[in-house]
Structure formats: structure tokens, C-alpha cells
Amino acid sequence: MSRMRIDLGGLLAIGLVLGGCVSGDSAEGPPPRDAGRNLVGETCTLREGRATGDGRNYAIHCGSWQQPAARLTESLNSATPIEAVSAGPWRGDIDSRMACGPARDATFARGLSGAIAYCRLRNGGFPTVALAIADGRGRLVLADGIPAAMPVIERGALAAFGLESLGDQTADSRAIELVRQSTGRQMVGAGVLEAYYTAMATAQYQDTIQDFVAAEDSYRKAMLAQAEAIGTDDPASADPLMHVALELSNQGRFDDAAPLFDEAQRLAAAGPNPASLPRLLSYRAIDAANRNKLDLALSFAEQATEARRRLAQDLGGVPGQAGADADLLSFSGASVSSVSVEVAQSLHTEAALRLRLGDLAGAADKADEAIATAAASRTSPPWWRPQFLETRATIAAAAGNAGSAVAIQGEAVTLWARILPQSTPEGLSRLGLGRFLHTAGAEDKAIDSYRQGLAILKARNAEIRPRDLLGFLDAASAMATRRPEQAEGLKVEMFEAMQLMRSGVTSRTVSLATARLAAGDQAVSGVIRAQQENERKRYALVGELNRALSAPSDLRDTAKIARLRQNLEAVETEGRGLDETLQAASSGYRQLLATPVGVAELQGLLKPGEAIAAFASAENATYGFLVAADRLKVWRIDAGDLALGDVVVTLRRGIQLNRGTPGRFPVDLAHQLHAALFGPVADDLAGIDNLVTTANGPLASIPFGILVASPASGRAPAPAPADDYRAVDWMVRHQALSAVPSVRAFADLRKVPTAAAGSSAMIGFGDYRPPRDVASLFAGLPAGCARDRKVLGSLGPLPATAGELRQVAGLVGAGADSLLLGPAFTKDAVLNRPLSDYRILYFATHAVLASEIRCFSEPALLVTPGAGGTVDSALLRLSDILNLKLDADLVVLSACNTAGTDGKSGGEALSGLTRAFFYAGARRLVVSHWPVPDDSTAALLLGLFDRRGPGVGGAAALRQAQLHMIDGRSGGKGAAWAHPLYWAGFTTIGDGTGVAIP
């Protein structure tokens, strides 16, 4: 039984946040009354709610927050204040929502006696109080809320007792003085809670639509808001921390996620919410599944299910509150209703994992139980059912029940279209339906479903991962074979759909670029803010529509539902217009998004003898595309990331030094890879002199020049280490090769002015000097970042780069004052230099990838740290590069390494750096895939920067220099430099053209 991959990234637990919900107070009844200010100066109001058997209920709102900051209840209970706060139904409700200490006597305004308990919200960990105030005549006011609301609570109680009017100001009572002393931190108001819960709600929505990068950023904002109230090492911070970790895992940034999961587990064990630890176990299951450690994932998922079942039994008398009338103070962080429905999430995770492990019967049982459990609960999120149904459909398909799979997936599509119309989940669900329809033999319906899904995803600028795209490519390819009259049109569709594929690295770069635009580019910052407001409105409308639709069918307000749908459609239209405006205003941003380029447009940009080869690899298969001025070719390769990754690792081992000598390069394997990738279009490549490539996955981590076109023509197929590699038919002998991050990058680069306007030839940065006191530099990093200290501390000085830079400066006519070396090569020196004045920028320094440093989410270049500086002073991060203002014909990144921690994944991370430089204003780059020995680097650069050659920094100049080294015509080394270690490390990134240097 083959294993089928299920996306577990979008599953979040119920009830983490209600920040996007409307207030729980009824709109009926008396209007809100002014209640003065709270302890942090926020203006507050008091509103009367529904009456209960004992008396009236009130909600206090402060600042702009729509949720209550406190609640009051009149009571005729004969209990004393201490008794009322310590036990009874009201205290039972408090315990479902808060973790409280013992009640103590307290004196309130006007000398009224009462009792108070200091508490923490289970949902968020924020400090709260629970109190009872007696009027001395047998009446009590019971209240709970944030400490800052204490004077407003007292004024509300006095007004309820008829002792004072509501707006009267009172001096701080003894109870308020005790509250001030008990917090131990600066008191925060409702605005801080609003920031936290709103960020959490936004993140939950972003995760649901599978925008994992944006969700990560929102969860980090929530962490910052929460830290204002409880600090950074409080057990309650486990909740947002585990969500950040999960979003990192969903992006494939597993090394970044690992220490955060560990820290969250430590905190959750001591946190106020007993549901946190089971939730963490569930998230660790998803993380392990993302890492393809399925047995470990299943173990975590089973632990989470069992822990949630036990917790639900322990909370059997704590029903909690949920639904449309819930607010954040009344919402139970751990109740039988909320924990019971979280069991459904654990069961679904188990089902998905059993499916991937080939246990179809077990998977079906768990999926059915998850669907039934969620359906029986009023508190399950509306998006769980379609998610669960999608897994059930995949199980049916794996069992050979194609008809059942189509029916179940069709229901999921219908639900997504109702719950989150025109969203990423709907688009992906339609791709899934297309896959099942194709399996069932419904070819036309399958293609239609794929087209609908791709149209939605394109409109949403959504991240489409290769595995989501492969089904369409297979279906379209099969239809093109059976219907030759439609083949050309289908191939065009396939090529444009392939361009929608986007990695987590790309999404992160886009997110950082958006932040840069919003902060610094006045021409488009207004559009960015309008986009964010549009998304907020869309989220609010979707939430309101879901609540309206959740009512029983005979009670639904059909007119309201129709109006909401009309408003949602208008907001969607506005959002699409804003996207188009932003892309038109910023070509660099459009290039980062990698919006598709039509075949006809691309062919119009290609010159005779030029072509683009694009490869889209998924787990077990790859598609190749070749576009020349007069043709488009598409072919399938029966090898994907798993097999290609192993090949790439082996090839890269062949360029490693062993005791100063390069090892045996696997020429036969390099030929096999060339045959697999380019064999189907060998005849089409015969007339191509300049080939531009773009690839994802492991293929991004090797220069294609080291592939071997043919072992024939008398060339030795596999020389021994000491033999002559000059006889090998390297691919670089046939074409000048360059790479681009995307097809869109090539198209846009072809349209920019051909020469920079800068007055200076070059500026160079290098001769990196590591810090003398490594421990001091990294002292500010958390304890979980020990690996980062080791990685960054192990990168030694690069003294030879000074000579490399001086050589290049001499070749392009730049003086010694154009070089910033050693101690002068600092972050401030880069950021404060007028870099737009220079036509060439040259960085000869280490690059570190996000996969190599756990505590940083961006790749970076190492710079010499300033004296007494922090670790930030040693890193020129991707976000820093996005903020550079360049007008550069050429940027060189020397001494980089694209191997990654696994030997095959670093190419995409380096792609993030190249995208950032293009966005900042570079026209082309030259980058190194591995550190190249100093003497061969000098020889290669001599050819690359030869002003008499075919164009400085271009693919033709690089090819000429490489062939000179291969053939023994450079540096007097004979056959020694024919090994690819010496000549293949550098790659040109761009459209392949070079620069004319006077």
C-alpha cells in the first residue's frame, strides 16, 4: 500500500480565541452608561444585560475593546462574601474560566466589606479578580474582571446598591491598594487584552486559510502583547508559543520550530490551562507528521486523545459557555464542552496518520468518530467538518472507493464555499475533488474542478505546494495525450499553473517585503494598509455569516444571510482591485509574488538561441517545461524530491575536499540525472546556446553545469580521482547556464533598464572577522539557541577574500577606497552607505540559512560585529536586504553554501536572499553554491570580470571562464582544475545577460 500525504497544518483547536467575535451582551435593553475611567485611564461604560433569578447582570467595557473587561451580578444569596467567592455555582463558573487563589477579606469603596480572590484567565493567563461586595442589608454584588477595572466595578456595585450614582469618582479603596500590590507588574488595561486576543483570532483565521507565514507573524504579535501583562517566561505563554512553533513547522522550518516546542512543553506543564498540554501533544503530532516521522506522530496523537478524554471526564461538572453569546471572560479555557470537542481534533489527526501509515480500516474508524464527535458539539469550529471530510475522502480513495471519495469531497467543497467562500481552503479542496474525479474517470469534471480551484488560489496569491499541483499536471497531461487537438492549450495551462507553486521561503520573503512596503514606501503604503483593512473586514463578515448560517434552518435570517453574502462579494472585489494596484505600483513586489507569465509573453522576451527550462518537483514526481521562442514542451519525470534529494546529496559529496584533495565525482550519476531531466527534450536543446533554469526543492541546490550530457564521444564516463576530468561532457560545454528564482523574475528583469545609473563602479565587502568574545556576542540569545552559538561561532575568518576583492576591483577599475574590509565591514557600514551609487556590489562572506540557525527565521550574510554589539550586529538579514536601495547591474555573493543542514535543501533558502536583492534593485547576481578554493576562485573571477569578454557577470562570461579551467587553459594547473569543485561552484542568477564595463 502506497502512503498518501495528508496536510495536517491547518488544524487548530477550538476556542483558542474569540477576539473576532461580537460582544456577548445583548443589544437589547438600556443603552450603555458612562462609568468613568479604569486604573490605566481607559474610558469605561456599564451596560445592563439579561436579568437572572437573583437580580440584574451588567457588563463593563473599557477602551475600544468590544469584549467585557468585567462583569457584575446582583445576588440575594444568604452566603457571606467569603463563602460566595470560595464556593457555590458562581465560583464553579469562575473556576471553569480562571485559576484562582483563596478568597480573602477586603474592604471596598465607602467602607463596604467583601472578599476578593486573585485569579488568572485560563485562556491567555491574564491577571483577573473575582470578588463579592456586600451592602450590609443582605445583598451582594458578585464580580469578575481585569484588575484595572476595579474602580469601575466598585462604582457599578455602589450604583446597584443605590448608594451613589454611577459616574461619581471614588478614592482608591483598600481593595484597590491590595490589587495594585498583588500584580507585581505594571497594570495593563483592556487594550492589551484586545491586542492579544485580536492577534490570536487573526492568526487562527490565517492558519485556516493556510497562510502560515502571516499566522506566524500574528501569533508573535500576540506573544508581545501577552508579555506586557505576564512577562516572557510565564507558563501561560505556552499557548501562543506552541502556535508559533506549529506555524514554523507548517512552513517546513523544522529546526526553527523544535526549540519552541520544547520550551512550550516546559511552560505548559505548569500553566493555568489544563487543556494546554494535550493541545501541545496534538501539535507535536502534526509537527512530527510534517517531518514525515509518522510513528512518532501517531504516538503523540494518541497521547493527546487520551489526555483530552481524561480531562473531559475530570471536568464533567464544568460545562463552560460557548456559541454566539460567549465572550472572552465567560469563555472556558478548559471545560467539558471545549475539551470534548478537542478530542475530535485528536481523532482526526490519528485518522490522517493511520492513513499515511497504510492502516485504512483504523483511519476510517478514527475519521468517522472525529466527524461524529464534532457534529455532536455546538462548540466545534465550522471549518472542522470540511477538513475532516477531506481526510475521509482520501481514505475512501486509498481504499479504491473512487465514487465515495468524490461524494465526500464534494460535500467538503460545498461547505468551504459556504463557510469561507473563494478562500484558499476552498481552492485546495477543489483541487482535491479534481484529483478524485480524475481517478474516477470523470476527466472533464476533473479538469473543471482543477480550473476552479486554481483560479481561486491565483486570485488569493496563495501558496500552492508542489503536491497540491501535481494532480492537475497529471490530469491535464493525460487529457492532452487523449485529445491532441487540445494539447497545446492544456500545456499552456500547465505552464501557467506551475508558476503558482510557492515555497515557504518565498512566502516569508513576500511577508517581509510587504512589511517593508507598508513601513517605508509612501507610494504603496496606503494600499498595503487598505489591504489589511480589507482582510479584516472580510474576516469579520465571514465570521458573522458563519454565525448566521449556524442557526437552525427554520430560524435562519435569510435576508441577513443574503445581505452578508452581498457585502462579502463586494469586499472580495475590493481586495482583488487592491492586489492589482499594489502589483502595478511595485514591480519588485510582483516579482516576489511570482505571478504567472503567459507563454506568449515569455516567448516574446526570448531571443533566438535562448530557452527557459522550469522544473516543478513534488514528493515522488517532477514536471519539466521548456519554453523557446517557437515552442513549449512539457514532460513528466518519475522521480521527485525524495529520489532527487538523494542524488543531489551524492553529487555534492563529490565536490567535498578530503584532506585537501577533492574526492571522486560521480560522473555516471550526473549523467543519469541529466538524462532524466533533459533527455525528453534533447533534440529541442540542440539549437539552444543560452539556457535559463528555475527549480524548486533539491534541484535548487546544485548548479546544472555539473550535469553530464553524454558519456559518449570518447569521453570517460567515470574517471578515478587522479584522472582527467577534462574528458567529461559537462552540460556547460553545450549551453551557457543561468538560473532565476521564478519565471516572473526573468520576465521582469528583461523589462528593466539595461544599465545602472550609478557613478561608481563597485563597492566590495569582505574579510569577515569573527568576534573575539563569542560568548558575549551571543549572550542575549535564549537558552534554546545553543545550536546557533555553535553554528555562528564555527564560521571562521575569511582573510583571503580581501585579495579576491582587490583583484575584482582592479578588473572593473575601482579604487582601494571602494572596499570595506575586516573591521570596516560592519552592518552599519552596509546600511548607511549610498549603495544606489554603485553599479556592482560584491559580498565575499559567509551566508547562513534559516535551516542552520534555529532562533532566526531569515537567511543572512555574516558581517564583522561591532565592538560590544549583539548578535544582530553580526547578521545582515534578509529583511535588512529588502530595505536596501540599490541600482546595481550586478551583485556577487561569494563564499555561500547552498547545501543546507540536510545537504539538499539550502538552495531555496539562498533563493530567498536572491529574491531580496532583486527586490532591492539588483539586475543580476553571481552566487556560489559552495566555498571554492582561493586560487581557483581568483582564476574564475579573472574570466568572469574580463571587460573584453562577452559581458561581465553574465552566463556566457561564466561559461567561458569555466571551460578555460576545465580544459586546463587557466592558471597553469592543467587537469587539476577540471574537477567541478574548482569551476562549478559559481552560478549566474538573472536573465543570463552580462554587463558592459567601460
Side-chain angles (χ1 to χ4, degrees):
M1 175 63 66
S2 62
R3 296 181 181 178
M4 303 186 69
R5 184 177 178 88
I6 295 293
D7 182 19
L8 298 173
L11 301 180
L12 285 181
I14 173 62
L16 303 178
V17 288
L18 294 173
C21 300
V22 296
S23 168
D25 307 318
S26 171
E28 302 174 357
R33 294 181 289 162
D34 177 36
R37 295 183 180 274
N38 63 15
L39 291 176
V40 297
E42 294 171 328
T43 300
C44 303
T45 62
L46 182 141
R47 185 169 198 163
E48 185 174 341
R50 299 186 184 95
T52 62
D54 280 353
R56 293 168 295 181
N57 295 301
Y58 304 90
I60 293 171
H61 291 80
C62 297
S64 61
W65 199 23
Q66 295 182 10
Q67 300 290 330
R71 301 179 308 154
L72 284 73
T73 299
E74 295 181 357
S75 175
L76 299 177
N77 194 318
S78 60
T80 66
I82 282 284
E83 292 170 341
V85 175
S86 300
W90 182 78
R91 175 57 190 254
D93 174 65
I94 291 291
D95 285 339
S96 75
R97 300 178 283 109
M98 304 176 190
C100 296
R104 63 181 69 181
D105 291 322
T107 302
F108 294 89
R110 295 281 296 266
L112 296 180
S113 63
I116 188 170
Y118 303 112
C119 309
R120 300 279 301 277
L121 277 178
R122 298 189 188 278
N123 177 20
F126 290 93
T128 53
V129 291
L131 57 91
I133 304 176
D135 71 346
R137 294 175 294 176
R139 290 190 299 171
L140 290 176
V141 166
L142 306 174
D144 62 279
I146 63 175
M150 276 288 295
V152 190
I153 292 173
E154 290 184 338
R155 290 194 289 271
L158 292 173
F161 293 148
L163 298 177
E164 288 185 4
S165 61
L166 183 61
D168 290 345
Q169 297 294 318
T170 57
D172 280 2
S173 65
R174 177 60 181 159
I176 290 178
E177 292 175 1
L178 290 174
V179 167
R180 288 185 185 276
Q181 296 169 9
S182 69
T183 59
R185 300 185 60 85
Q186 182 177 348
M187 198 171 294
V188 299
V192 172
L193 278 75
E194 178 183 20
Y196 172 80
Y197 291 112
T198 299
M200 291 289 283
T202 301
Q204 187 183 44
Y205 169 71
Q206 290 163 335
D207 179 277
T208 301
I209 64 172
Q210 300 192 27
D211 189 349
F212 301 131
V213 173
E216 176 205 342
D217 289 340
S218 293
Y219 280 128
R220 290 188 186 276
K221 290 177 183 176
M223 288 177 62
L224 291 174
Q226 186 190 51
E228 287 189 49
I230 65 174
T232 57
D233 195 41
D234 190 280
S237 63
D239 203 41
L241 184 63
M242 73 175 75
H243 284 86
V244 172
L246 181 60
E247 299 307 331
L248 291 170
S249 176
N250 289 338
Q251 297 171 51
R253 293 161 55 193
F254 305 126
D255 285 344
D256 297 344
L260 301 189
F261 274 123
D262 292 341
E263 180 69 3
Q265 186 151 350
R266 179 185 71 82
L267 294 170
N273 188 351
S276 290
L277 195 54
R279 182 178 301 135
L280 176 66
L281 291 171
S282 184
Y283 289 2
R284 298 209 83 150
I286 297 172
D287 171 60
N290 287 343
R291 292 183 286 126
N292 210 34
K293 296 185 176 181
L294 301 184
D295 291 326
L296 176 63
L298 183 59
S299 175
F300 276 131
E302 290 173 339
Q303 292 177 58
T305 302
E306 180 59 29
R308 282 168 168 166
R309 290 192 197 277
R310 288 196 307 268
L311 184 57
Q313 292 174 354
D314 294 342
L315 297 169
V318 187
Q321 180 178 343
D325 290 335
D327 59 53
L328 283 165
L329 289 181
S330 67
F331 176 73
S332 300
S335 68
V336 67
S337 56
S338 64
V339 175
S340 293
V341 77
E342 285 194 343
V343 172
Q345 192 252 14
S346 294
L347 290 167
H348 173 259
T349 304
E350 285 191 57
L353 291 167
R354 291 182 184 278
L355 169 62
R356 290 176 61 181
L357 287 165
D359 178 10
L360 298 185
D365 289 344
K366 295 296 183 182
D368 291 340
E369 187 180 357
I371 292 169
T373 302
S377 171
R378 291 179 59 246
T379 63
S380 62
W383 53 84
W384 276 16
R385 182 171 179 82
Q387 286 179 332
F388 294 1
L389 287 171
E390 288 175 337
T391 298
R392 189 64 182 87
T394 307
I395 295 168
N401 300 322
S404 295
V406 168
I408 297 170
Q409 186 75 16
E411 182 183 352
V413 168
T414 300
L415 288 171
W416 281 126
R418 188 188 77 181
I419 296 167
L420 289 172
Q422 298 297 301
S423 66
T424 298
E426 181 189 345
L428 293 174
S429 191
R430 290 187 182 278
L431 296 189
L433 179 58
R435 183 171 65 254
F436 299 140
L437 286 166
H438 178 58
T439 301
E443 190 174 78
D444 291 324
K445 290 182 179 179
I447 291 294
D448 286 344
S449 185
Y450 275 123
R451 285 169 174 162
Q452 292 167 8
L454 290 170
I456 291 172
L457 296 168
K458 180 180 178 181
R460 301 297 300 170
N461 287 324
E463 175 181 330
I464 305 179
R465 285 166 289 187
R467 66 175 183 267
D468 298 321
L469 184 66
L470 188 66
F472 169 69
L473 299 180
D474 282 342
S477 179
M479 179 176 279
T481 300
R482 286 191 292 270
R483 300 182 186 179
E485 72 280 4
Q486 299 181 23
E488 290 305 312
L490 287 165
K491 287 192 293 184
V492 169
E493 282 190 74
M494 293 169 69
F495 179 70
E496 294 183 4
M498 175 274 299
Q499 297 176 64
L500 295 173
M501 184 176 64
R502 186 187 298 169
S503 70
V505 172
T506 303
S507 297
R508 181 67 185 168
T509 308
V510 171
S511 178
L512 291 167
T514 303
R516 173 224 161 153
L517 284 168
D521 193 322
Q522 295 301 314
V524 294
S525 60
V527 181
I528 293 284
R529 287 192 293 271
Q531 275 189 320
Q532 294 167 342
E533 176 63 17
N534 176 268
E535 187 68 10
R536 188 199 64 77
K537 288 191 294 185
R538 183 177 185 276
Y539 168 58
L541 283 169
V542 166
E544 194 172 355
L545 180 60
N546 286 338
R547 288 190 292 274
L549 289 169
S550 66
S553 57
D554 57 335
L555 298 178
R556 287 178 186 166
D557 187 340
T558 55
K560 179 180 180 181
I561 290 171
R563 184 177 68 255
L564 288 171
R565 283 178 167 156
Q566 184 178 9
N567 292 344
L568 184 60
E569 183 178 351
V571 169
E572 288 277 5
T573 301
E574 178 192 45
R576 288 191 291 271
L578 290 168
D579 287 342
E580 293 171 0
T581 300
L582 178 59
Q583 292 181 40
S586 174
S587 60
Y589 185 75
R590 181 179 66 245
Q591 189 183 122
L592 287 179
L593 285 176
T595 53
V597 180
V599 172
E601 178 186 355
L602 184 61
Q603 288 176 328
L605 296 170
L606 290 167
K607 302 172 184 176
E610 282 187 331
I612 287 184
F615 294 95
S617 62
E619 195 170 55
N620 294 305
T622 301
Y623 268 86
F625 301 83
L626 183 73
V627 184
D630 59 349
R631 78 204 80 156
L632 166 63
K633 298 288 185 177
V634 182
W635 65 101
R636 192 181 196 276
I637 303 159
D638 292 327
D641 288 343
L642 297 177
L644 293 174
D646 292 340
V647 172
V648 167
V649 169
T650 303
L651 292 178
R652 290 190 65 111
R653 284 179 185 150
I655 52 89
Q656 292 176 352
L657 286 171
N658 182 14
R659 296 181 180 178
T661 302
R664 180 190 184 94
F665 184 79
V667 173
D668 283 341
L669 186 62
H671 170 59
Q672 292 170 22
L673 182 57
H674 182 276
L677 296 179
F678 295 103
V681 289
D683 292 341
D684 297 280
L685 287 175
I688 301 300
D689 299 316
N690 297 289
L691 184 65
V692 180
T693 64
T694 181
N696 68 303
L699 292 177
S701 292
I702 57 167
F704 280 12
I706 64 170
L707 302 185
V708 176
S710 170
S713 302
R715 300 189 186 277
D723 285 351
D724 193 346
Y725 284 89
R726 291 179 296 182
V728 177
D729 188 20
W730 304 107
M731 186 175 181
V732 73
R733 291 189 179 278
H734 297 265
Q735 286 93 22
L737 299 165
S738 57
V740 284
S742 66
V743 177
R744 167 56 63 189
F746 173 86
D748 286 353
L749 289 169
R750 274 287 159 100
K751 297 174 184 178
V752 299
T754 57
S759 57
S760 300
M762 172 186 151
I763 185 167
F765 304 94
D767 190 12
Y768 164 74
R769 306 283 179 86
R772 293 181 179 177
D773 185 359
V774 175
S776 175
L777 182 70
F778 299 132
L781 291 180
C785 299
R787 182 174 178 275
D788 289 7
R789 295 187 182 94
K790 182 177 180 181
V791 170
L792 296 176
S794 67
L795 297 174
L798 295 172
T801 59
E804 175 184 332
L805 285 163
R806 292 188 183 99
Q807 179 190 20
V808 172
L811 291 171
V812 299
D817 58 349
S818 66
L819 304 180
L820 296 176
L821 305 174
F825 173 29
T826 64
K827 185 171 184 175
D828 286 343
V830 176
L831 298 181
N832 296 330
R833 201 83 172 188
L835 298 180
S836 60
D837 290 347
Y838 299 92
R839 298 191 296 274
I840 298 174
L841 276 73
Y842 200 119
F843 292 89
T845 187
H846 298 292
V848 289
L849 311 180
S851 60
E852 295 176 296
I853 45 176
R854 290 181 173 180
C855 295
F856 304 99
S857 59
E858 313 166 45
L861 300 177
L862 256 61
V863 298
T864 301
T870 64
V871 68
D872 185 66
S873 70
L875 298 173
L876 185 68
R877 305 175 195 240
L878 185 147
S879 52
D880 297 317
I881 295 166
L882 285 167
N883 280 310
L884 299 177
K885 302 291 186 182
L886 308 183
D887 182 18
D889 286 323
L890 176 63
V891 173
V892 179
L893 304 180
S894 177
C896 298
N897 186 353
T898 63
T901 55
D902 57 2
K904 58 189 176 185
S905 65
E908 289 194 346
L910 184 64
S911 173
L913 286 174
T914 62
R915 289 174 188 268
F917 274 109
F918 280 134
Y919 177 84
R923 291 169 178 77
R924 58 189 60 77
L925 289 92
V926 172
V927 303
S928 61
H929 280 272
W930 55 75
V932 181
D934 298 337
D935 52 354
S936 58
T937 294
L940 190 70
L941 294 175
L942 188 64
L944 185 63
F945 283 89
D946 186 353
R947 289 184 279 179
R948 300 164 299 177
V952 168
L958 179 61
R959 179 191 182 212
Q960 180 175 282
Q962 289 174 329
L963 291 178
H964 282 174
M965 295 180 71
I966 293 170
D967 294 335
R969 293 179 284 146
S970 177
K973 296 288 185 177
W977 281 354
H979 191 288
L981 165 69
Y982 299 104
W983 59 264
F986 283 91
T987 296
T988 59
I989 309 293
D991 70 346
T993 59
V995 183
I997 302 292

